[in-house]
Amino acid sequence: MQLKMMTLKFIRPINLLVVMLLFVQTISFGQEVIVVDSTGVVKNSTSEISELKKDTVLPFKRFKAEGVSAVIGEYVILDSDIDKSYVELQSTGVSIEDITRCQLMGKLMEDKLYLHQAKIDSILIADAEINPQVDQLIQYMVSEIGSEDKVVQYYRKETMAELRKDLFDAKKDMELANRMQSKVVANVEITPEEVRSFFFAIPEDERPIFSAEVEVAQIVIEPEITVQARQGVIDKLNQMREDVIESGSSFATKAVLYSKDPGSASRGGLYEGVRRNGPMAKEFKDNAFSLLEGEVSEPFETDFGFHILTVDKIRGQEVDVRHVLLFPEVSQTVIDGAKSKIDSLRDKIIAGDISFAEAAMRYSDDKETRNNGGQSVNPTTFDTKFDLTKMDPTLSAQVYNLKEGEVSKVFTDRDRTGRSKFKILTITNRLEEHPADYVKDYEKIKELALKEKQIRAIEKWQEEKINETYVNVNEDYRDCEYASNWVKK
C-alpha cells in the first residue's frame, strides 16, 4: 500500500497569516473582478483573470448560463470563483502549474457543502470570536501598506467599514466550514491495532521519512522592572484617567495617541463583544464587567502591561470596551545588568560549575519552562520535540548547528510587549532525519493513521450529504474526475 500524505482539505494554509492573506486576496478582487446584472448574467471580467484561464483547463464548451458553475444547496459557485482561487494560490507563492480547474472546483464544492450543512446543523459562531482575528489582519495590512486609507484604496473598497465587513464574512464562512468538518471527525478514534496494521501495510521502501528533530532547553533572563518604573507608568495612566473624568478629554483620543496595543490603538482602543469566557486576560475581563457604561477603571496590570479601561456599551452578556495599554520603561543600566547575569550563567555552565537544568530552575525568568529544567514544549504538538524544518526561524537559527549538550551564545529576544530579554539554549536530544520507525515514531505514525481514517470518514459523510443535498454542476465541469460523486452518476 502506498502511503498517501493527504490533508483533510485540498488546500490548508500552514498558519494564520497565510489563511488571512487568502481572505484578503479573495476580497481584493471582490466585485471588481466580475459585474453581474439583475438577472445574474456576467457582463465583463478583468483581463488578468482571463489570462489565468488560458492553459489551465481542458477545452470546454462555453455556453454556461449566467456564469454559474455549480449550485450546492443555497450556495452558488461562479466561474470567476475558480479564477480567484488561482490568484489566491499565486499570492501565497503556491505554484498553480499542476492545479487544474477541476481540482479547484472540487475544493469549492466541498467548502460550500460544509457551509450548507453547518447552517442545517445550526452551528453558530459569535461575532466576538471573529472580530479579534479581523483586527489582527487589518493591523498587519496597515503595517505592510502604510495607513488605513491606503489599505482601503489597495483593496478597492469605499470605506474601512466595508473592507472590515467583507473580511468578517469571509473569515466567518471559513470558521463555519472548519467547525463542520471538525464535527464530522470528532468521534473518529484509532486503536493500537489499527495503527500497527496501517504501518506494516506500507512497503519498507515507501515508508515516510521524518525530518530531523531536537529537544531544546532554555534559560531566560529579563531586565527587572523597577518599582520606580512601575509607578511611573501607573502615574501616567492615572493622569489620563483624570483628564477623561475631570476635564472631559476623549478616552479614544488618548488611546490613539498613547496606547501600545497595535490591535486596538488605531480604533481608539476599541474591543467589541468582550465576553466573560472570551480569550482576554482575566484582569481585563474582571474590570470590563465591573464597570457601568462611561466609567473608567483604575490602572491595573496584566501579562501584557498596564491598562486603564472604559466601557462603551453593555449588550447583555457582551461589553464593548476601550483601553489604553502602556509598558514600564526599562533603563539601559538595568538591561546591561541582565546581560551580565546571563553571560555569567553561561560561563558557569560551560565550566561545569552548574548544570543547565539546575541553572534554569534557579535563575530562569521563564515561568513555563524553569520548573522543567528549561525544557521547551512545542506549541503545535504539545510535546518536547521540534521539527527543524518547521521551527520558528529565529529559534532554528540558534540551534541548527548546536551539538547535543552544547550551549548557544547569548541572544536577544523580545516578548509580546516588545521588551528585550536574553536567552541561552541547549540541545538535550537530537534525532537525525530517518525512515519511520514503528517504536521510535509511534505517535507520528498514529497521527498519520488517524488522519487517513478521518479522511475516510469525511468521504463517507460527503457521499451521504451529496445525495441529500441539491447539487447542480454545470456541464463544463461534469466530466471532471472528482473524489466525490458531485454529478451523481
Side-chain angles (χ1 to χ4, degrees):
M1 179 186 77
Q2 184 175 6
L3 178 64
K4 296 183 179 179
M5 306 293 285
M6 300 175 67
T7 58
L8 298 185
K9 297 184 75 174
F10 176 72
I11 299 291
R12 183 179 291 277
I14 61 174
N15 55 43
L16 175 61
L17 179 59
V18 173
V19 170
M20 300 306 275
L21 285 175
L22 290 182
F23 293 147
V24 175
Q25 293 300 327
T26 300
I27 291 165
S28 70
F29 287 91
Q31 294 176 351
E32 300 297 325
V33 170
I34 185 165
V35 179
V36 183
D37 68 12
S38 60
T39 66
V41 177
V42 179
K43 307 303 283 186
N44 64 61
S45 60
T46 65
S47 59
E48 181 179 5
I49 297 300
S50 296
E51 287 299 317
L52 281 173
K53 290 184 181 181
K54 296 177 180 178
D55 302 324
T56 60
V57 64
L58 295 173
F60 284 133
K61 299 177 182 178
R62 293 293 180 184
F63 44 86
K64 181 161 51 269
E66 301 182 354
V68 175
S69 294
V71 178
I72 311 296
E74 62 186 68
Y75 292 93
V76 174
I77 300 172
L78 300 177
D79 200 44
S80 62
D81 292 330
I82 302 174
D83 297 323
K84 286 185 284 185
S85 294
Y86 275 117
V87 177
E88 291 167 11
L89 294 174
Q90 285 184 310
S91 73
T92 57
V94 176
S95 172
I96 64 171
E97 184 177 349
D98 297 323
I99 299 176
T100 68
R101 296 181 73 81
C102 288
Q103 289 174 315
L104 289 180
M105 180 64 164
K107 173 62 169 57
L108 288 170
M109 289 192 292
E110 285 182 18
D111 290 344
K112 299 305 182 187
L113 183 65
Y114 286 129
L115 286 175
H116 174 75
Q117 194 62 39
K119 187 172 183 179
I120 293 175
D121 289 3
S122 299
I123 295 177
L124 302 176
I125 298 178
D127 291 356
E129 296 182 54
I130 306 300
N131 282 322
Q133 299 177 44
V134 175
D135 292 339
Q136 181 181 356
L137 174 58
I138 291 175
Q139 185 63 36
Y140 170 79
M141 293 190 295
V142 169
S143 68
E144 289 293 305
I145 297 177
S147 70
E148 287 193 0
D149 288 341
K150 288 181 179 179
V151 171
V152 170
Q153 182 180 8
Y154 183 83
Y155 291 107
R156 306 175 190 177
K157 299 298 174 184
E158 294 295 327
T159 64
M160 176 56 75
E162 182 185 355
L163 176 59
R164 180 180 291 277
K165 182 181 183 303
D166 286 351
L167 289 168
F168 179 91
D169 292 341
K171 176 58 180 170
K172 195 164 188 176
D173 279 353
M174 176 168 279
E175 286 296 322
L176 280 170
N178 286 342
R179 292 198 186 183
M180 187 65 247
Q181 188 182 78
S182 297
K183 182 179 178 180
V184 173
V185 300
N187 296 321
V188 176
E189 298 178 345
I190 194 100
T191 66
E193 182 56 34
E194 286 176 314
V195 176
R196 185 181 183 283
S197 297
F198 169 83
F199 178 76
F200 287 105
I202 306 171
E204 285 192 26
D205 59 349
E206 295 180 12
R207 288 174 184 170
I209 303 297
F210 290 131
S211 302
E213 292 180 312
V214 292
E215 292 181 300
V216 182
Q218 65 176 4
I219 295 174
V220 180
I221 301 297
E222 299 179 358
E224 182 183 3
I225 298 175
T226 64
V227 173
Q228 293 85 351
R230 292 171 62 89
Q231 190 58 49
V233 77
I234 291 172
D235 290 344
K236 287 180 182 179
L237 290 170
N238 272 323
Q239 184 60 57
M240 291 184 201
R241 181 175 185 269
E242 183 178 336
D243 290 344
V244 172
I245 295 174
E246 303 295 336
S247 305
S249 296
S250 167
F251 192 103
T253 300
K254 296 287 186 185
V256 170
L257 292 175
Y258 303 112
S259 182
K260 302 301 182 182
D261 178 12
S264 70
S266 64
R267 297 190 295 124
L270 180 65
Y271 278 108
E272 298 175 291
V274 176
R275 299 178 67 89
R276 288 187 183 275
N277 61 350
M280 299 289 191
K282 179 181 182 299
E283 301 88 348
F284 191 97
K285 291 184 290 186
D286 287 346
N287 278 273
F289 286 95
S290 66
L291 300 175
L292 300 176
E293 289 185 10
E295 287 188 323
V296 182
S297 74
E298 300 280 350
F300 63 93
E301 185 180 6
T302 69
D303 287 341
F304 294 90
F306 290 82
H307 314 247
I308 53 173
L309 177 149
T310 187
V311 173
D312 265 16
K313 190 173 183 61
I314 298 174
R315 296 184 283 110
Q317 300 300 311
E318 296 183 352
V319 293
D320 297 340
V321 303
R322 296 180 187 272
H323 82 129
V324 175
L325 171 66
L326 295 182
F327 310 135
E329 295 182 3
V330 180
S331 69
Q332 188 60 48
T333 301
V334 172
I335 294 173
D336 292 343
K339 177 65 164 58
S340 177
K341 180 179 179 180
I342 199 167
D343 283 338
S344 176
L345 271 178
R346 182 177 185 273
D347 290 342
K348 290 180 179 179
I349 293 169
I350 292 174
D353 297 336
I354 189 172
S355 70
F356 194 100
E358 184 180 354
M361 287 187 283
R362 290 173 62 180
Y363 301 110
S364 181
D365 291 323
D366 186 70
K367 297 177 183 178
E368 295 180 358
T369 62
R370 66 185 179 196
N371 292 331
N372 296 322
Q375 195 73 56
S376 297
V377 175
N378 189 326
T380 303
T381 61
F382 303 106
D383 63 16
T384 57
K385 294 185 178 66
F386 291 83
D387 185 329
L388 277 173
T389 65
K390 299 176 182 177
M391 286 179 74
D392 176 87
T394 302
L395 182 59
S396 176
Q398 299 298 327
V399 303
Y400 193 85
N401 293 318
L402 278 184
K403 298 176 182 177
E404 193 170 317
E406 186 179 1
V407 181
S408 74
K409 294 181 179 179
V410 176
F411 69 98
T412 305
D413 197 4
R414 293 187 183 275
D415 63 17
R416 55 194 173 192
T417 70
R419 191 175 64 194
S420 296
K421 53 186 177 181
F422 300 100
K423 285 185 178 183
I424 52 176
L425 305 169
T426 189
I427 300 296
T428 58
N429 186 31
R430 179 184 285 271
L431 187 63
E432 300 300 333
E433 181 178 278
H434 62 284
D437 180 279
Y438 182 71
V439 176
K440 293 180 180 179
D441 302 307
Y442 179 81
E443 291 300 323
K444 290 188 181 67
I445 295 165
K446 178 181 177 181
E447 183 180 344
L448 291 174
L450 177 61
K451 187 159 289 187
E452 183 180 83
K453 191 172 181 179
Q454 288 173 333
I455 290 170
R456 291 200 301 269
I458 286 175
E459 289 172 347
K460 181 180 178 181
W461 179 88
Q462 284 186 357
E463 182 180 353
E464 293 173 354
K465 297 306 175 184
I466 288 171
N467 288 333
E468 298 171 4
T469 304
Y470 174 78
V471 177
N472 189 337
V473 181
N474 187 277
E475 63 180 89
D476 283 1
Y477 293 94
R478 287 178 188 165
D479 291 333
C480 292
E481 294 184 6
Y482 299 118
S484 300
N485 187 25
W486 292 107
V487 294
K488 298 184 178 181
K489 293 180 179 178

